[in-house]
Amino acid sequence: MIALMILGTLVALSSAQFQPQPSGRILESPVPALCAQRTIHQRFNGKGYYFSWADPRTSGQELDWLTGRNFCRQRCMDLVSLETSDENEFIKSRIVQNKVKYIWTSGRLCDFKGCDRPDLQPLHINGWFWTAELQKLAPTNNRSQNDWSESGGIGKPQPDNREAIQGGAPENCLAILNQFYNDGVNWHDVACHHKKPWVCEENESLLKHIRYNYPNIRV
């Protein structure tokens, strides 16, 4: 059973969302016309989902984590947040059914200004959160409350920050991998610059923003 550590609005994280990202790029705002024309491939528990591989315009494309977020956000969506076990299994079933190797989620390790807060320490255990919803994940060492894989590229339980250990970029973004290491369909920490298919989930905050500021746009 996946659990969230809901501690109210994460102010420090919220303010960091709209600051330049570590790459120097910016998290984008929704575009009214794109929100109105957004494609919904399937609905689950009241929310609409977009699967990049199911759209002829994006089928075969892979994006880095921030570019995937911006694609979704422009359409009043965001990368998917796996807030419940049911939602996690729903998304995993679509991945398996369509033989998708991996996808991005909105999960991220806190690496912004303000991430030195005591309640987020140590970061590799307590610093993961769903960026789309600004909600913390359960501690990574609470294996019954998450879906982190028990293995990976160096045979260690996830998250393992493997790429950084091997001299590369830190693995600060959360992806679902489909039997990539013959370890099932589970969560993995992955360096954010890697390119993958993506899943967007309708974001009520962005939809409310458009409804309030553009009352003539039907979203």
Side-chain angles (χ1 to χ4, degrees), residues 112-136:
F112 310 108
K113 182 179 179 181
C115 294
D116 56 351
R117 281 173 23 188
D119 63 302
L120 298 177
Q121 306 309 311
L123 278 178
H124 71 282
I125 293 176
N126 295 311
W128 286 90
F129 69 107
W130 299 120
T131 57
E133 302 297 335
L134 294 177
Q135 291 180 329
K136 289 175 62 179

mmCIF file with all atom_site columns, all heavy atoms in Angstrom, residues 112-136:
data_model
loop_
_atom_site.group_PDB
_atom_site.id
_atom_site.type_symbol
_atom_site.label_atom_id
_atom_site.label_alt_id
_atom_site.label_comp_id
_atom_site.label_asym_id
_atom_site.label_entity_id
_atom_site.label_seq_id
_atom_site.pdbx_PDB_ins_code
_atom_site.Cartn_x
_atom_site.Cartn_y
_atom_site.Cartn_z
_atom_site.occupancy
_atom_site.B_iso_or_equiv
_atom_site.pdbx_formal_charge
_atom_site.auth_seq_id
_atom_site.auth_comp_id
_atom_site.auth_asym_id
_atom_site.auth_atom_id
_atom_site.pdbx_PDB_model_num
ATOM 1   N N   . PHE A 1 112 ? 16.247 21.555 -4.442  1.00 0.00 ? 112 PHE A N   1
ATOM 2   C CA  . PHE A 1 112 ? 16.088 22.983 -4.621  1.00 0.00 ? 112 PHE A CA  1
ATOM 3   C C   . PHE A 1 112 ? 16.492 23.717 -3.341  1.00 0.00 ? 112 PHE A C   1
ATOM 4   O O   . PHE A 1 112 ? 16.776 23.113 -2.318  1.00 0.00 ? 112 PHE A O   1
ATOM 5   C CB  . PHE A 1 112 ? 14.630 23.322 -4.956  1.00 0.00 ? 112 PHE A CB  1
ATOM 6   C CG  . PHE A 1 112 ? 14.043 22.496 -6.062  1.00 0.00 ? 112 PHE A CG  1
ATOM 7   C CD1 . PHE A 1 112 ? 13.097 21.520 -5.796  1.00 0.00 ? 112 PHE A CD1 1
ATOM 8   C CD2 . PHE A 1 112 ? 14.439 22.697 -7.369  1.00 0.00 ? 112 PHE A CD2 1
ATOM 9   C CE1 . PHE A 1 112 ? 12.550 20.758 -6.810  1.00 0.00 ? 112 PHE A CE1 1
ATOM 10  C CE2 . PHE A 1 112 ? 13.897 21.947 -8.399  1.00 0.00 ? 112 PHE A CE2 1
ATOM 11  C CZ  . PHE A 1 112 ? 12.948 20.970 -8.123  1.00 0.00 ? 112 PHE A CZ  1
ATOM 12  N N   . LYS A 1 113 ? 16.446 25.038 -3.409  1.00 0.00 ? 113 LYS A N   1
ATOM 13  C CA  . LYS A 1 113 ? 16.646 25.840 -2.216  1.00 0.00 ? 113 LYS A CA  1
ATOM 14  C C   . LYS A 1 113 ? 15.554 25.509 -1.208  1.00 0.00 ? 113 LYS A C   1
ATOM 15  O O   . LYS A 1 113 ? 14.370 25.446 -1.544  1.00 0.00 ? 113 LYS A O   1
ATOM 16  C CB  . LYS A 1 113 ? 16.584 27.333 -2.574  1.00 0.00 ? 113 LYS A CB  1
ATOM 17  C CG  . LYS A 1 113 ? 16.835 28.255 -1.391  1.00 0.00 ? 113 LYS A CG  1
ATOM 18  C CD  . LYS A 1 113 ? 16.788 29.724 -1.824  1.00 0.00 ? 113 LYS A CD  1
ATOM 19  C CE  . LYS A 1 113 ? 17.026 30.639 -0.641  1.00 0.00 ? 113 LYS A CE  1
ATOM 20  N NZ  . LYS A 1 113 ? 16.964 32.088 -1.051  1.00 0.00 ? 113 LYS A NZ  1
ATOM 21  N N   . GLY A 1 114 ? 15.922 25.277 0.036   1.00 0.00 ? 114 GLY A N   1
ATOM 22  C CA  . GLY A 1 114 ? 14.961 24.917 1.070   1.00 0.00 ? 114 GLY A CA  1
ATOM 23  C C   . GLY A 1 114 ? 14.929 23.442 1.380   1.00 0.00 ? 114 GLY A C   1
ATOM 24  O O   . GLY A 1 114 ? 14.251 23.015 2.321   1.00 0.00 ? 114 GLY A O   1
ATOM 25  N N   . CYS A 1 115 ? 15.684 22.651 0.624   1.00 0.00 ? 115 CYS A N   1
ATOM 26  C CA  . CYS A 1 115 ? 15.670 21.203 0.841   1.00 0.00 ? 115 CYS A CA  1
ATOM 27  C C   . CYS A 1 115 ? 16.548 20.760 2.006   1.00 0.00 ? 115 CYS A C   1
ATOM 28  O O   . CYS A 1 115 ? 16.673 19.558 2.263   1.00 0.00 ? 115 CYS A O   1
ATOM 29  C CB  . CYS A 1 115 ? 16.088 20.475 -0.434  1.00 0.00 ? 115 CYS A CB  1
ATOM 30  S SG  . CYS A 1 115 ? 14.921 20.663 -1.798  1.00 0.00 ? 115 CYS A SG  1
ATOM 31  N N   . ASP A 1 116 ? 17.112 21.730 2.713   1.00 0.00 ? 116 ASP A N   1
ATOM 32  C CA  . ASP A 1 116 ? 17.887 21.396 3.905   1.00 0.00 ? 116 ASP A CA  1
ATOM 33  C C   . ASP A 1 116 ? 17.017 21.355 5.153   1.00 0.00 ? 116 ASP A C   1
ATOM 34  O O   . ASP A 1 116 ? 17.522 21.233 6.275   1.00 0.00 ? 116 ASP A O   1
ATOM 35  C CB  . ASP A 1 116 ? 19.024 22.395 4.104   1.00 0.00 ? 116 ASP A CB  1
ATOM 36  C CG  . ASP A 1 116 ? 18.538 23.845 4.180   1.00 0.00 ? 116 ASP A CG  1
ATOM 37  O OD1 . ASP A 1 116 ? 17.349 24.092 3.908   1.00 0.00 ? 116 ASP A OD1 1
ATOM 38  O OD2 . ASP A 1 116 ? 19.372 24.719 4.498   1.00 0.00 ? 116 ASP A OD2 1
ATOM 39  N N   . ARG A 1 117 ? 15.690 21.422 4.987   1.00 0.00 ? 117 ARG A N   1
ATOM 40  C CA  . ARG A 1 117 ? 14.779 21.349 6.123   1.00 0.00 ? 117 ARG A CA  1
ATOM 41  C C   . ARG A 1 117 ? 14.986 20.060 6.908   1.00 0.00 ? 117 ARG A C   1
ATOM 42  O O   . ARG A 1 117 ? 15.202 18.991 6.325   1.00 0.00 ? 117 ARG A O   1
ATOM 43  C CB  . ARG A 1 117 ? 13.328 21.393 5.623   1.00 0.00 ? 117 ARG A CB  1
ATOM 44  C CG  . ARG A 1 117 ? 12.848 22.767 5.265   1.00 0.00 ? 117 ARG A CG  1
ATOM 45  C CD  . ARG A 1 117 ? 11.491 22.765 4.635   1.00 0.00 ? 117 ARG A CD  1
ATOM 46  N NE  . ARG A 1 117 ? 10.666 21.599 4.937   1.00 0.00 ? 117 ARG A NE  1
ATOM 47  C CZ  . ARG A 1 117 ? 9.501  21.370 4.340   1.00 0.00 ? 117 ARG A CZ  1
ATOM 48  N NH1 . ARG A 1 117 ? 9.046  22.195 3.421   1.00 0.00 ? 117 ARG A NH1 1
ATOM 49  N NH2 . ARG A 1 117 ? 8.794  20.304 4.657   1.00 0.00 ? 117 ARG A NH2 1
ATOM 50  N N   . PRO A 1 118 ? 14.911 20.119 8.237   1.00 0.00 ? 118 PRO A N   1
ATOM 51  C CA  . PRO A 1 118 ? 15.150 18.925 9.059   1.00 0.00 ? 118 PRO A CA  1
ATOM 52  C C   . PRO A 1 118 ? 14.236 17.753 8.720   1.00 0.00 ? 118 PRO A C   1
ATOM 53  O O   . PRO A 1 118 ? 14.671 16.602 8.756   1.00 0.00 ? 118 PRO A O   1
ATOM 54  C CB  . PRO A 1 118 ? 14.914 19.419 10.487  1.00 0.00 ? 118 PRO A CB  1
ATOM 55  C CG  . PRO A 1 118 ? 15.202 20.879 10.428  1.00 0.00 ? 118 PRO A CG  1
ATOM 56  C CD  . PRO A 1 118 ? 14.742 21.330 9.071   1.00 0.00 ? 118 PRO A CD  1
ATOM 57  N N   . ASP A 1 119 ? 12.965 18.047 8.383   1.00 0.00 ? 119 ASP A N   1
ATOM 58  C CA  . ASP A 1 119 ? 12.028 16.946 8.130   1.00 0.00 ? 119 ASP A CA  1
ATOM 59  C C   . ASP A 1 119 ? 12.315 16.222 6.824   1.00 0.00 ? 119 ASP A C   1
ATOM 60  O O   . ASP A 1 119 ? 11.759 15.150 6.574   1.00 0.00 ? 119 ASP A O   1
ATOM 61  C CB  . ASP A 1 119 ? 10.580 17.458 8.135   1.00 0.00 ? 119 ASP A CB  1
ATOM 62  C CG  . ASP A 1 119 ? 10.334 18.466 7.028   1.00 0.00 ? 119 ASP A CG  1
ATOM 63  O OD1 . ASP A 1 119 ? 11.038 19.495 6.993   1.00 0.00 ? 119 ASP A OD1 1
ATOM 64  O OD2 . ASP A 1 119 ? 9.428  18.235 6.199   1.00 0.00 ? 119 ASP A OD2 1
ATOM 65  N N   . LEU A 1 120 ? 13.195 16.774 5.998   1.00 0.00 ? 120 LEU A N   1
ATOM 66  C CA  . LEU A 1 120 ? 13.540 16.126 4.733   1.00 0.00 ? 120 LEU A CA  1
ATOM 67  C C   . LEU A 1 120 ? 14.841 15.338 4.816   1.00 0.00 ? 120 LEU A C   1
ATOM 68  O O   . LEU A 1 120 ? 15.245 14.720 3.830   1.00 0.00 ? 120 LEU A O   1
ATOM 69  C CB  . LEU A 1 120 ? 13.658 17.174 3.616   1.00 0.00 ? 120 LEU A CB  1
ATOM 70  C CG  . LEU A 1 120 ? 12.392 17.969 3.287   1.00 0.00 ? 120 LEU A CG  1
ATOM 71  C CD1 . LEU A 1 120 ? 12.691 19.014 2.220   1.00 0.00 ? 120 LEU A CD1 1
ATOM 72  C CD2 . LEU A 1 120 ? 11.263 17.058 2.843   1.00 0.00 ? 120 LEU A CD2 1
ATOM 73  N N   . GLN A 1 121 ? 15.448 15.334 5.995   1.00 0.00 ? 121 GLN A N   1
ATOM 74  C CA  . GLN A 1 121 ? 16.750 14.673 6.158   1.00 0.00 ? 121 GLN A CA  1
ATOM 75  C C   . GLN A 1 121 ? 16.588 13.244 6.679   1.00 0.00 ? 121 GLN A C   1
ATOM 76  O O   . GLN A 1 121 ? 15.697 12.984 7.490   1.00 0.00 ? 121 GLN A O   1
ATOM 77  C CB  . GLN A 1 121 ? 17.627 15.495 7.089   1.00 0.00 ? 121 GLN A CB  1
ATOM 78  C CG  . GLN A 1 121 ? 17.792 16.945 6.670   1.00 0.00 ? 121 GLN A CG  1
ATOM 79  C CD  . GLN A 1 121 ? 18.208 17.130 5.224   1.00 0.00 ? 121 GLN A CD  1
ATOM 80  O OE1 . GLN A 1 121 ? 19.157 16.482 4.770   1.00 0.00 ? 121 GLN A OE1 1
ATOM 81  N NE2 . GLN A 1 121 ? 17.505 17.987 4.504   1.00 0.00 ? 121 GLN A NE2 1
ATOM 82  N N   . PRO A 1 122 ? 17.444 12.300 6.295   1.00 0.00 ? 122 PRO A N   1
ATOM 83  C CA  . PRO A 1 122 ? 18.350 12.441 5.149   1.00 0.00 ? 122 PRO A CA  1
ATOM 84  C C   . PRO A 1 122 ? 17.561 12.437 3.837   1.00 0.00 ? 122 PRO A C   1
ATOM 85  O O   . PRO A 1 122 ? 16.543 11.729 3.716   1.00 0.00 ? 122 PRO A O   1
ATOM 86  C CB  . PRO A 1 122 ? 19.265 11.229 5.262   1.00 0.00 ? 122 PRO A CB  1
ATOM 87  C CG  . PRO A 1 122 ? 18.447 10.209 6.000   1.00 0.00 ? 122 PRO A CG  1
ATOM 88  C CD  . PRO A 1 122 ? 17.557 10.977 6.943   1.00 0.00 ? 122 PRO A CD  1
ATOM 89  N N   . LEU A 1 123 ? 18.021 13.205 2.870   1.00 0.00 ? 123 LEU A N   1
ATOM 90  C CA  . LEU A 1 123 ? 17.248 13.403 1.636   1.00 0.00 ? 123 LEU A CA  1
ATOM 91  C C   . LEU A 1 123 ? 16.954 12.097 0.906   1.00 0.00 ? 123 LEU A C   1
ATOM 92  O O   . LEU A 1 123 ? 15.869 11.914 0.367   1.00 0.00 ? 123 LEU A O   1
ATOM 93  C CB  . LEU A 1 123 ? 18.010 14.359 0.702   1.00 0.00 ? 123 LEU A CB  1
ATOM 94  C CG  . LEU A 1 123 ? 17.858 15.861 0.975   1.00 0.00 ? 123 LEU A CG  1
ATOM 95  C CD1 . LEU A 1 123 ? 18.714 16.648 0.001   1.00 0.00 ? 123 LEU A CD1 1
ATOM 96  C CD2 . LEU A 1 123 ? 16.398 16.282 0.881   1.00 0.00 ? 123 LEU A CD2 1
ATOM 97  N N   . HIS A 1 124 ? 17.921 11.177 0.861   1.00 0.00 ? 124 HIS A N   1
ATOM 98  C CA  . HIS A 1 124 ? 17.695 9.957  0.082   1.00 0.00 ? 124 HIS A CA  1
ATOM 99  C C   . HIS A 1 124 ? 16.588 9.089  0.684   1.00 0.00 ? 124 HIS A C   1
ATOM 100 O O   . HIS A 1 124 ? 16.059 8.199  0.012   1.00 0.00 ? 124 HIS A O   1
ATOM 101 C CB  . HIS A 1 124 ? 18.990 9.156  -0.072  1.00 0.00 ? 124 HIS A CB  1
ATOM 102 C CG  . HIS A 1 124 ? 19.469 8.500  1.184   1.00 0.00 ? 124 HIS A CG  1
ATOM 103 N ND1 . HIS A 1 124 ? 20.119 9.182  2.194   1.00 0.00 ? 124 HIS A ND1 1
ATOM 104 C CD2 . HIS A 1 124 ? 19.381 7.204  1.605   1.00 0.00 ? 124 HIS A CD2 1
ATOM 105 C CE1 . HIS A 1 124 ? 20.419 8.345  3.175   1.00 0.00 ? 124 HIS A CE1 1
ATOM 106 N NE2 . HIS A 1 124 ? 19.985 7.141  2.852   1.00 0.00 ? 124 HIS A NE2 1
ATOM 107 N N   . ILE A 1 125 ? 16.212 9.370  1.928   1.00 0.00 ? 125 ILE A N   1
ATOM 108 C CA  . ILE A 1 125 ? 15.118 8.639  2.575   1.00 0.00 ? 125 ILE A CA  1
ATOM 109 C C   . ILE A 1 125 ? 13.844 9.480  2.629   1.00 0.00 ? 125 ILE A C   1
ATOM 110 O O   . ILE A 1 125 ? 12.758 9.011  2.276   1.00 0.00 ? 125 ILE A O   1
ATOM 111 C CB  . ILE A 1 125 ? 15.516 8.198  3.998   1.00 0.00 ? 125 ILE A CB  1
ATOM 112 C CG1 . ILE A 1 125 ? 16.627 7.147  3.926   1.00 0.00 ? 125 ILE A CG1 1
ATOM 113 C CG2 . ILE A 1 125 ? 14.307 7.651  4.772   1.00 0.00 ? 125 ILE A CG2 1
ATOM 114 C CD1 . ILE A 1 125 ? 17.157 6.713  5.286   1.00 0.00 ? 125 ILE A CD1 1
ATOM 115 N N   . ASN A 1 126 ? 13.963 10.733 3.045   1.00 0.00 ? 126 ASN A N   1
ATOM 116 C CA  . ASN A 1 126 ? 12.787 11.571 3.306   1.00 0.00 ? 126 ASN A CA  1
ATOM 117 C C   . ASN A 1 126 ? 12.571 12.700 2.308   1.00 0.00 ? 126 ASN A C   1
ATOM 118 O O   . ASN A 1 126 ? 11.635 13.489 2.476   1.00 0.00 ? 126 ASN A O   1
ATOM 119 C CB  . ASN A 1 126 ? 12.901 12.179 4.706   1.00 0.00 ? 126 ASN A CB  1
ATOM 120 C CG  . ASN A 1 126 ? 12.863 11.130 5.788   1.00 0.00 ? 126 ASN A CG  1
ATOM 121 O OD1 . ASN A 1 126 ? 11.997 10.261 5.802   1.00 0.00 ? 126 ASN A OD1 1
ATOM 122 N ND2 . ASN A 1 126 ? 13.818 11.192 6.711   1.00 0.00 ? 126 ASN A ND2 1
ATOM 123 N N   . GLY A 1 127 ? 13.406 12.782 1.282   1.00 0.00 ? 127 GLY A N   1
ATOM 124 C CA  . GLY A 1 127 ? 13.349 13.938 0.389   1.00 0.00 ? 127 GLY A CA  1
ATOM 125 C C   . GLY A 1 127 ? 12.627 13.747 -0.928  1.00 0.00 ? 127 GLY A C   1
ATOM 126 O O   . GLY A 1 127 ? 12.655 14.632 -1.784  1.00 0.00 ? 127 GLY A O   1
ATOM 127 N N   . TRP A 1 128 ? 11.954 12.610 -1.110  1.00 0.00 ? 128 TRP A N   1
ATOM 128 C CA  . TRP A 1 128 ? 11.233 12.392 -2.365  1.00 0.00 ? 128 TRP A CA  1
ATOM 129 C C   . TRP A 1 128 ? 9.807  12.937 -2.261  1.00 0.00 ? 128 TRP A C   1
ATOM 130 O O   . TRP A 1 128 ? 9.158  12.791 -1.230  1.00 0.00 ? 128 TRP A O   1
ATOM 131 C CB  . TRP A 1 128 ? 11.190 10.903 -2.705  1.00 0.00 ? 128 TRP A CB  1
ATOM 132 C CG  . TRP A 1 128 ? 12.510 10.379 -3.191  1.00 0.00 ? 128 TRP A CG  1
ATOM 133 C CD1 . TRP A 1 128 ? 13.516 9.852  -2.435  1.00 0.00 ? 128 TRP A CD1 1
ATOM 134 C CD2 . TRP A 1 128 ? 12.985 10.363 -4.537  1.00 0.00 ? 128 TRP A CD2 1
ATOM 135 N NE1 . TRP A 1 128 ? 14.581 9.499  -3.218  1.00 0.00 ? 128 TRP A NE1 1
ATOM 136 C CE2 . TRP A 1 128 ? 14.287 9.801  -4.514  1.00 0.00 ? 128 TRP A CE2 1
ATOM 137 C CE3 . TRP A 1 128 ? 12.446 10.759 -5.752  1.00 0.00 ? 128 TRP A CE3 1
ATOM 138 C CZ2 . TRP A 1 128 ? 15.044 9.633  -5.673  1.00 0.00 ? 128 TRP A CZ2 1
ATOM 139 C CZ3 . TRP A 1 128 ? 13.198 10.593 -6.908  1.00 0.00 ? 128 TRP A CZ3 1
ATOM 140 C CH2 . TRP A 1 128 ? 14.478 10.036 -6.867  1.00 0.00 ? 128 TRP A CH2 1
ATOM 141 N N   . PHE A 1 129 ? 9.327  13.545 -3.348  1.00 0.00 ? 129 PHE A N   1
ATOM 142 C CA  . PHE A 1 129 ? 7.964  14.088 -3.346  1.00 0.00 ? 129 PHE A CA  1
ATOM 143 C C   . PHE A 1 129 ? 7.387  14.065 -4.755  1.00 0.00 ? 129 PHE A C   1
ATOM 144 O O   . PHE A 1 129 ? 8.102  13.964 -5.744  1.00 0.00 ? 129 PHE A O   1
ATOM 145 C CB  . PHE A 1 129 ? 7.947  15.507 -2.765  1.00 0.00 ? 129 PHE A CB  1
ATOM 146 C CG  . PHE A 1 129 ? 8.628  16.556 -3.628  1.00 0.00 ? 129 PHE A CG  1
ATOM 147 C CD1 . PHE A 1 129 ? 7.886  17.491 -4.322  1.00 0.00 ? 129 PHE A CD1 1
ATOM 148 C CD2 . PHE A 1 129 ? 10.011 16.615 -3.714  1.00 0.00 ? 129 PHE A CD2 1
ATOM 149 C CE1 . PHE A 1 129 ? 8.505  18.455 -5.112  1.00 0.00 ? 129 PHE A CE1 1
ATOM 150 C CE2 . PHE A 1 129 ? 10.646 17.581 -4.492  1.00 0.00 ? 129 PHE A CE2 1
ATOM 151 C CZ  . PHE A 1 129 ? 9.880  18.503 -5.194  1.00 0.00 ? 129 PHE A CZ  1
ATOM 152 N N   . TRP A 1 130 ? 6.078  14.108 -4.820  1.00 0.00 ? 130 TRP A N   1
ATOM 153 C CA  . TRP A 1 130 ? 5.372  14.240 -6.101  1.00 0.00 ? 130 TRP A CA  1
ATOM 154 C C   . TRP A 1 130 ? 5.318  15.727 -6.423  1.00 0.00 ? 130 TRP A C   1
ATOM 155 O O   . TRP A 1 130 ? 4.597  16.482 -5.773  1.00 0.00 ? 130 TRP A O   1
ATOM 156 C CB  . TRP A 1 130 ? 3.968  13.654 -6.034  1.00 0.00 ? 130 TRP A CB  1
ATOM 157 C CG  . TRP A 1 130 ? 3.909  12.195 -5.721  1.00 0.00 ? 130 TRP A CG  1
ATOM 158 C CD1 . TRP A 1 130 ? 3.290  11.607 -4.665  1.00 0.00 ? 130 TRP A CD1 1
ATOM 159 C CD2 . TRP A 1 130 ? 4.462  11.118 -6.495  1.00 0.00 ? 130 TRP A CD2 1
ATOM 160 N NE1 . TRP A 1 130 ? 3.441  10.240 -4.719  1.00 0.00 ? 130 TRP A NE1 1
ATOM 161 C CE2 . TRP A 1 130 ? 4.153  9.913  -5.834  1.00 0.00 ? 130 TRP A CE2 1
ATOM 162 C CE3 . TRP A 1 130 ? 5.199  11.062 -7.686  1.00 0.00 ? 130 TRP A CE3 1
ATOM 163 C CZ2 . TRP A 1 130 ? 4.553  8.667  -6.318  1.00 0.00 ? 130 TRP A CZ2 1
ATOM 164 C CZ3 . TRP A 1 130 ? 5.599  9.819  -8.166  1.00 0.00 ? 130 TRP A CZ3 1
ATOM 165 C CH2 . TRP A 1 130 ? 5.272  8.647  -7.492  1.00 0.00 ? 130 TRP A CH2 1
ATOM 166 N N   . THR A 1 131 ? 6.060  16.168 -7.412  1.00 0.00 ? 131 THR A N   1
ATOM 167 C CA  . THR A 1 131 ? 6.128  17.590 -7.717  1.00 0.00 ? 131 THR A CA  1
ATOM 168 C C   . THR A 1 131 ? 4.787  18.140 -8.172  1.00 0.00 ? 131 THR A C   1
ATOM 169 O O   . THR A 1 131 ? 4.478  19.311 -7.917  1.00 0.00 ? 131 THR A O   1
ATOM 170 C CB  . THR A 1 131 ? 7.180  17.860 -8.804  1.00 0.00 ? 131 THR A CB  1
ATOM 171 O OG1 . THR A 1 131 ? 6.866  17.093 -9.967  1.00 0.00 ? 131 THR A OG1 1
ATOM 172 C CG2 . THR A 1 131 ? 8.570  17.505 -8.313  1.00 0.00 ? 131 THR A CG2 1
ATOM 173 N N   . ALA A 1 132 ? 3.993  17.343 -8.869  1.00 0.00 ? 132 ALA A N   1
ATOM 174 C CA  . ALA A 1 132 ? 2.717  17.831 -9.392  1.00 0.00 ? 132 ALA A CA  1
ATOM 175 C C   . ALA A 1 132 ? 1.747  18.176 -8.274  1.00 0.00 ? 132 ALA A C   1
ATOM 176 O O   . ALA A 1 132 ? 0.895  19.050 -8.423  1.00 0.00 ? 132 ALA A O   1
ATOM 177 C CB  . ALA A 1 132 ? 2.100  16.786 -10.327 1.00 0.00 ? 132 ALA A CB  1
ATOM 178 N N   . GLU A 1 133 ? 1.857  17.488 -7.140  1.00 0.00 ? 133 GLU A N   1
ATOM 179 C CA  . GLU A 1 133 ? 0.913  17.678 -6.036  1.00 0.00 ? 133 GLU A CA  1
ATOM 180 C C   . GLU A 1 133 ? 1.568  18.269 -4.793  1.00 0.00 ? 133 GLU A C   1
ATOM 181 O O   . GLU A 1 133 ? 0.888  18.563 -3.810  1.00 0.00 ? 133 GLU A O   1
ATOM 182 C CB  . GLU A 1 133 ? 0.279  16.321 -5.668  1.00 0.00 ? 133 GLU A CB  1
ATOM 183 C CG  . GLU A 1 133 ? -0.445 15.641 -6.821  1.00 0.00 ? 133 GLU A CG  1
ATOM 184 C CD  . GLU A 1 133 ? -1.622 16.443 -7.330  1.00 0.00 ? 133 GLU A CD  1
ATOM 185 O OE1 . GLU A 1 133 ? -2.171 17.253 -6.547  1.00 0.00 ? 133 GLU A OE1 1
ATOM 186 O OE2 . GLU A 1 133 ? -1.991 16.283 -8.508  1.00 0.00 ? 133 GLU A OE2 1
ATOM 187 N N   . LEU A 1 134 ? 2.888  18.447 -4.820  1.00 0.00 ? 134 LEU A N   1
ATOM 188 C CA  . LEU A 1 134 ? 3.643  18.940 -3.663  1.00 0.00 ? 134 LEU A CA  1
ATOM 189 C C   . LEU A 1 134 ? 3.355  18.108 -2.424  1.00 0.00 ? 134 LEU A C   1
ATOM 190 O O   . LEU A 1 134 ? 3.070  18.626 -1.344  1.00 0.00 ? 134 LEU A O   1
ATOM 191 C CB  . LEU A 1 134 ? 3.335  20.422 -3.406  1.00 0.00 ? 134 LEU A CB  1
ATOM 192 C CG  . LEU A 1 134 ? 3.803  21.379 -4.513  1.00 0.00 ? 134 LEU A CG  1
ATOM 193 C CD1 . LEU A 1 134 ? 3.389  22.798 -4.202  1.00 0.00 ? 134 LEU A CD1 1
ATOM 194 C CD2 . LEU A 1 134 ? 5.310  21.288 -4.712  1.00 0.00 ? 134 LEU A CD2 1
ATOM 195 N N   . GLN A 1 135 ? 3.424  16.802 -2.591  1.00 0.00 ? 135 GLN A N   1
ATOM 196 C CA  . GLN A 1 135 ? 3.201  15.872 -1.488  1.00 0.00 ? 135 GLN A CA  1
ATOM 197 C C   . GLN A 1 135 ? 4.405  14.953 -1.364  1.00 0.00 ? 135 GLN A C   1
ATOM 198 O O   . GLN A 1 135 ? 4.921  14.429 -2.345  1.00 0.00 ? 135 GLN A O   1
ATOM 199 C CB  . GLN A 1 135 ? 1.927  15.048 -1.722  1.00 0.00 ? 135 GLN A CB  1
ATOM 200 C CG  . GLN A 1 135 ? 0.658  15.869 -1.632  1.00 0.00 ? 135 GLN A CG  1
ATOM 201 C CD  . GLN A 1 135 ? -0.586 15.034 -1.878  1.00 0.00 ? 135 GLN A CD  1
ATOM 202 O OE1 . GLN A 1 135 ? -0.549 14.059 -2.630  1.00 0.00 ? 135 GLN A OE1 1
ATOM 203 N NE2 . GLN A 1 135 ? -1.674 15.405 -1.251  1.00 0.00 ? 135 GLN A NE2 1
ATOM 204 N N   . LYS A 1 136 ? 4.840  14.759 -0.115  1.00 0.00 ? 136 LYS A N   1
ATOM 205 C CA  . LYS A 1 136 ? 5.975  13.884 0.131   1.00 0.00 ? 136 LYS A CA  1
ATOM 206 C C   . LYS A 1 136 ? 5.576  12.420 -0.040  1.00 0.00 ? 136 LYS A C   1
ATOM 207 O O   . LYS A 1 136 ? 4.460  12.028 0.270   1.00 0.00 ? 136 LYS A O   1
ATOM 208 C CB  . LYS A 1 136 ? 6.504  14.108 1.545   1.00 0.00 ? 136 LYS A CB  1
ATOM 209 C CG  . LYS A 1 136 ? 7.211  15.434 1.763   1.00 0.00 ? 136 LYS A CG  1
ATOM 210 C CD  . LYS A 1 136 ? 7.595  15.633 3.220   1.00 0.00 ? 136 LYS A CD  1
ATOM 211 C CE  . LYS A 1 136 ? 8.568  14.581 3.700   1.00 0.00 ? 136 LYS A CE  1
ATOM 212 N NZ  . LYS A 1 136 ? 8.964  14.800 5.115   1.00 0.00 ? 136 LYS A NZ  1
#
